Every structure is written in C-alpha cells, then in structure tokens.
Amino acid sequence: MSDQQWPPRRPGEPRPPSPGQQPYPGPRQPQRPQTQPGRQQQPHPGQHQQPHQQPHPGQQRPHPGQHQPRPGQPYPGEQRFPGQRPYPEQERRFPPAQQRPYPPEQQPYGQQPYPEQHYPENPYPEQPYPEQPYPEQPYPEQPYPEQPYPEQPYAGQQPPGYPRGFGPGRFGPEPPKKRRWPKVLVGLLVLALVGVGGYGAYDFYEQLQKWEQTTTDDLAGVGSDLSVAVASLRSVGWEVTADDIGTWLEQPGAYGEGLRLRTLQADPAGNTFTVAGYRTWQDTYAKRDHTTVVCATITLAAGTQKPLSESVTTCPDDVPKSAPGSPQTDTEAGGVTGHLADLAVKAHEQRASGATEGKLLEVAAPTRPVGDVRTDSTGLVCAPGTKDLGEGEGYDAGKLIPVRLCAVEGLPNTGTESTKGDAYYIDGADGLTVVNARISGAAAALVKKAAKQGVDLVASSSFRTMKKQKALCQEDATGGCPAGDYTLTAQPGYSSHQLGIAIDFEQPSVTGGKTCATRASEPSSAVWRFLNKTALSVGLKQYSAEAWHWDAYGGKDRCAPM
C-alpha cells in the first residue's frame, strides 16, 4: 500500500489531528467504554458506518444513551485519519447542517454496534461529567445549602449538647471548664468518713458482743466455782446456807478478771439469788469506758451432789448500769463464809488449769458447828475423824427434828447410849461419843487439841433419845424434874442432849448458878481448865449450872472462858 494519504488533502484544507488528539474546536469527548472482546460484530464490507454528530459548543452534552463517535473517529465533514481508506459512499461530503447519520444498515465498517447494546448509564445521575460540572453545583469544599454539616443544627433546632469538659472546637467557642477537683476531694473525704465511721460502729458492736459473751462465760464460771466450793464443804460436814452465799457475793474476790458482782435480789428462805455481773472495757474510738451487764439466777439446792445451779437471764430494766464500788468487807465473816471464799478461789484455779469441772476439792474438816444447829442435819455428812451412824430423832423446844448421828473417834463414852447391851444403846456407837453431824467436826477438832496437850477426854453422856431423857427425869433424886423444877434435869424434848449438840465430860462435878457470873467452875480439874481455855475455839460453851456440860447452844446461861 502506498504511503500517500487517501484521499489526498486538498489545498487549503487543515491538517488532520494526530492519532489520539482531540479535534478543534469542541470539548474533549468522553471515551466510549470498550466492548468485551468477541462481542462486537464486524460489519459487512459493503456497509457504511454511521457517523456521529459533534454537538454545538453552546449545546448540552448528548444523553449517555445516544450514539457517539468512537475514539479516534473524525467528525463528519472533517478529514479522515491518514491511511484510512474510505468507502465509495463516503466520497460525498455534506455540510454540518445537512449531514445526517447513516442508517443502521449503512454504518461504516467496524462501527455498527449490537442492536441490543447501549452505553452504561452514568453512575452519578445528578453529577455531570468531571470535565464539565453543572453550573448550579457548588464545589466539593463548600457544603450544600440545604445540607448543613452534622455538627451544625438545622434552622430552629436546639444545638446539641457536648460532653462535660468538651466544646464544639472549630465550630464554636468551647464552654468554660469547671473545676472538678473540689468535688472529687469532698467525695473522697465523705467516703473516708463513712468508711471510718462504719468500721468504728462495727468494731464497737463486735467489742460489745465480745465483752457480753466474756461476762456471760465468767458469770457461769462463778456459778461453777461456787458449786464446787459448796459441794466440797458439804462433803466434809459443813452446811452452806443462803446467808453464807449472800455474804460471800458481797465480798470482793477473784470472780474472774475485771468481773464485779452485785446481788440484786436474795430469797434466803428459797435459797435463790439474782446476781448481776459487771465488766468494764474501754472504747478505743470514743476514748471512754463502757460497762456490760449480765444477770444470772443462782439457786442453792440441798445435798452435796448438785448443791448449786445457775442460769443466765435477761437483766431487768431497773438494774444499775454501773459496776458496784468496793463493798465493805465483813471482817467477822469467818466460818463457812471464809472457807467458801477460799474454796471458790481454789475452784477457779482448778478450772483454769484444765481440771475436770465439778471435781470436789480437798478441804479441812469443819472445826466449828455447821449452820443452824436447831435445824435438820440429815443432809450433812459426818466430818472426817467421825463415823456415820445414820439418822436419828432429835428434839428442840419440844419439836421433832431429824438429825444425822456421828460417833467421834478418840472420845470414849461411858454413858448408856454408847454401852452395848444397854436398853438405851445406839447401834454402832461401840463405846464412842455420839453427836449431831453439825458439831461432829468441832468434837473431832477438840479431841485432837486435847491429845496434843496431853489431856485425856472422856464423856459420860452425849446424844440421848426421848426414852432416855424421860427416864432421867423420873429418876431425878431431888425430885425437881417430876415436880417441874428443871434446874438439874431438863424437861423431856427440851434438852440439848436430845439434839446431839451437847457433851458431858467426866471429872468436873461442880454445880453453880443460872448465870455466867455465878456459873460453876473447877480450876483444880485439868479437864475443866482445858475446856475453859479451848472449847470456845471450836464453838462450844459451858452451861452455867454445870461445870461438865458443854454444848453449841447460845444464850445468857452459855458462858465463854473465864
């Protein structure tokens, strides 16, 4: 093929643009999307291609659905690209105003599209081509008039609130920041105060519960110690009464560390006490002392197995809330009360060392008459150094009083009640002096003291039955007893021998008056001198009318040592 352009350029005709260059004038034409390979049908060589019209510069761009010339295709009336061979039907030129597109069947070769194929729609319907934006569309940097920014409210709309401490930034002035540290500091201070106060209240409640429990345990321990002390005394012949316990409770003693007792109510007849236990402790937060009060009821029972019982109760409203002061110590509270206090301390030590609770303590035999000698003594035991002979019928002021009889070892008796085969013999006496259990310890102590001083004591009479006393009254040589004169022989049922608390010793034989000033005395008798000096230490006194008669009765005719 020749290099000459076909058809040749006429003189004065402009040079066609280079391949790929847009023709002048007119804007750049959009590129037609490429069809998929293999889909485009090649027209018949005899067919003509339909040219596309170039829009006028003042006209709008044709709709994307209309046919547009392919890239590189010259507009009608312009020179074809060099080297392009025209068809015979394209030799004739028409002016732009008269030029019409070829019919579909006469499209030039290579430009006939598929009948069903159309150019794709513009993906941005409202937006013009990037090369030629619409005049009414603002630039992208400017917001649409009807579309405010998200940070700006619509007209008449309340502006949105911003988080605390944050402002709109470049869209408006930032609100002034408030100082939050004072509130935070106050909140922390309140939390600290609430924490300290709550812990203090909890600690106070815990301390209160602790001291109430401690006071309850100690008060129960006092009852346990007291029960052991009472049982120990009774096991050797001591009789512990409600008066003894009341006296002991009023005395300061080792009741437990820091525990004070106060007797609230006492019923000596029923042997019942209501006791309040006080314990003082210091509150570390309030810097003050507090006192807890716990009450208990103590009941004294008869016998030596379970002589005492206690139960913790609720304190009445009228119970004093303060611990008692130091009570007046009863300096004359000897005898049972003194021994009771000593034994209670020993029982507390025994319990603290882990010994078995309720175990009896080893105590000395009573050396004085136990309790009220004019009352029933069957609940007592005979003191060590004496032998239990069982129960007998005693009398006082004409009334029958059951008594426990004990034979005193080391003190022989020549009377009929101790002589076997006699009509008035007491079974088991075996020649020994028979006494009431209440003075069994005193009689045994007197025998021991006499043996140490080399004095031999021998009794001529001790306990007498009613039958024996009536026989003595009838045999009165003076005739006073049958006639109603009881100076030398007591009326039956009124003699201290019938109660078992009197002993007649041999050798002293002097009689005297009815008062201690005129009482009978016999200093020449070693036995009398010993009794005059020692008998009172064991609780025995001389009957003023008889130098040989010593008993545990009281009264103006019972005399102390001279």
Side-chain angles (χ1 to χ4, degrees), residues 144-162:
Y144 294 97
E146 67 278 7
Q147 177 80 19
Y149 286 98
E151 294 82 0
Q152 295 181 356
Y154 292 94
Q157 181 182 2
Q158 185 71 17
Y162 295 95

Side-chain angles (χ1 to χ4, degrees), residues 461-464 469 495-504 549:
S461 180
S462 56
F463 175 76
R464 299 174 188 169
Q469 188 66 26
S495 172
S496 57
H497 285 276
Q498 288 186 263
L499 196 57
I501 61 173
I503 301 175
D504 288 346
H549 182 105

Side-chain angles (χ1 to χ4, degrees), residues 217-288:
D217 295 342
D218 287 347
L219 194 58
V222 168
S224 176
D225 299 340
L226 188 59
S227 180
V228 172
V230 172
S232 298
L233 288 174
R234 285 182 172 179
S235 67
V236 296
W238 291 88
E239 181 186 13
V240 182
T241 64
D243 293 335
D244 298 328
I245 295 179
T247 303
W248 177 74
L249 290 176
E250 291 299 329
Q251 291 179 343
Y255 309 126
E257 185 178 359
L259 182 67
R260 303 297 300 274
L261 297 181
R262 182 195 294 271
T263 302
L264 301 177
Q265 185 179 4
D267 182 13
N271 293 334
T272 302
F273 296 87
T274 301
V275 181
Y278 296 84
R279 181 176 295 280
T280 303
W281 53 281
Q282 185 179 25
D283 184 4
T284 56
Y285 291 94
K287 300 299 181 182
R288 55 170 296 186

Side-chain angles (χ1 to χ4, degrees), residues 350-374:
Q350 183 185 69
R351 180 169 56 88
S353 63
T356 304
E357 183 178 356
K359 181 181 179 180
L360 298 181
L361 301 172
E362 295 182 1
V363 296
T367 58
R368 297 175 62 86
V370 177
D372 187 0
V373 295
R374 299 175 184 267

Side-chain angles (χ1 to χ4, degrees), residues 184-198:
V184 174
L185 184 60
V186 171
L188 293 177
L189 181 59
V190 170
L191 289 178
L193 292 178
V194 170
V196 173

Side-chain angles (χ1 to χ4, degrees), residues 453-489:
Q453 297 181 18
V455 179
D456 294 332
L457 298 178
V458 178
S460 58
S461 180
S462 56
F463 175 76
R464 299 174 188 169
T465 63
M466 178 61 77
K467 183 179 180 180
K468 173 65 176 179
Q469 188 66 26
K470 288 180 178 180
L472 289 177
C473 184
Q474 292 175 0
E475 296 172 1
D476 185 5
T478 61
C481 185
D485 183 5
Y486 306 115
T487 302
L488 297 179
T489 304

Side-chain angles (χ1 to χ4, degrees), residues 25-189:
R28 181 183 298 273
Q29 297 296 328
Q31 298 291 335
R32 183 178 181 179
Q34 298 292 336
T35 58
Q36 297 181 0
R39 294 292 301 273
Q40 185 176 2
Q41 296 181 359
Q42 296 294 336
H44 194 271
Q47 293 181 353
H48 297 279
Q49 296 182 358
Q50 183 179 359
H52 294 273
Q53 294 181 359
Q54 175 68 18
H56 194 272
Q59 294 181 356
Q60 294 290 336
R61 185 180 297 274
H63 194 273
Q66 296 178 0
H67 294 283
Q68 298 179 5
R70 296 178 61 182
Q73 180 69 24
Y75 290 95
E78 293 183 357
Q79 181 67 30
R80 298 182 180 90
F81 291 102
Q84 183 176 8
R85 185 171 182 176
Y87 290 94
E89 293 80 4
Q90 293 181 346
E91 292 292 334
R92 186 177 179 181
R93 301 283 183 174
F94 294 95
Q98 298 178 2
Q99 186 176 357
R100 296 180 181 178
Y102 293 100
E105 63 274 4
Q106 297 180 2
Q107 285 287 342
Y109 177 78
Q111 295 187 2
Q112 182 178 0
Y114 291 98
E116 71 278 8
Q117 184 174 1
H118 298 280
Y119 295 108
E121 296 291 339
N122 189 0
Y124 306 96
E126 296 83 1
Q127 185 174 1
Y129 292 94
E131 293 81 5
Q132 186 176 0
Y134 291 105
E136 64 274 7
Q137 181 173 356
Y139 292 98
E141 291 78 10
Q142 297 181 357
Y144 294 97
E146 67 278 7
Q147 177 80 19
Y149 286 98
E151 294 82 0
Q152 295 181 356
Y154 292 94
Q157 181 182 2
Q158 185 71 17
Y162 295 95
R164 185 180 298 276
F166 296 90
R170 63 188 181 90
F171 302 105
E174 295 185 0
K177 295 184 179 180
K178 297 182 180 180
R179 296 183 178 179
R180 294 182 296 175
W181 64 267
K183 295 183 179 180
V184 174
L185 184 60
V186 171
L188 293 177
L189 181 59

Side-chain angles (χ1 to χ4, degrees), residues 16 19 25 84 102 145 153 172 196 206 210 217 225 255 259 269 345 367 395 402 411 414 511 514 522 531 534 546 562:
Q84 183 176 8
Y102 293 100
V196 173
E206 187 178 16
K210 171 186 175 183
D217 295 342
D225 299 340
Y255 309 126
L259 182 67
V345 173
T367 58
Y395 288 89
L411 183 59
T414 60
T511 59
K514 294 182 179 181
E522 192 173 354
L531 293 175
T534 311
E546 301 172 352
M562 296 180 64

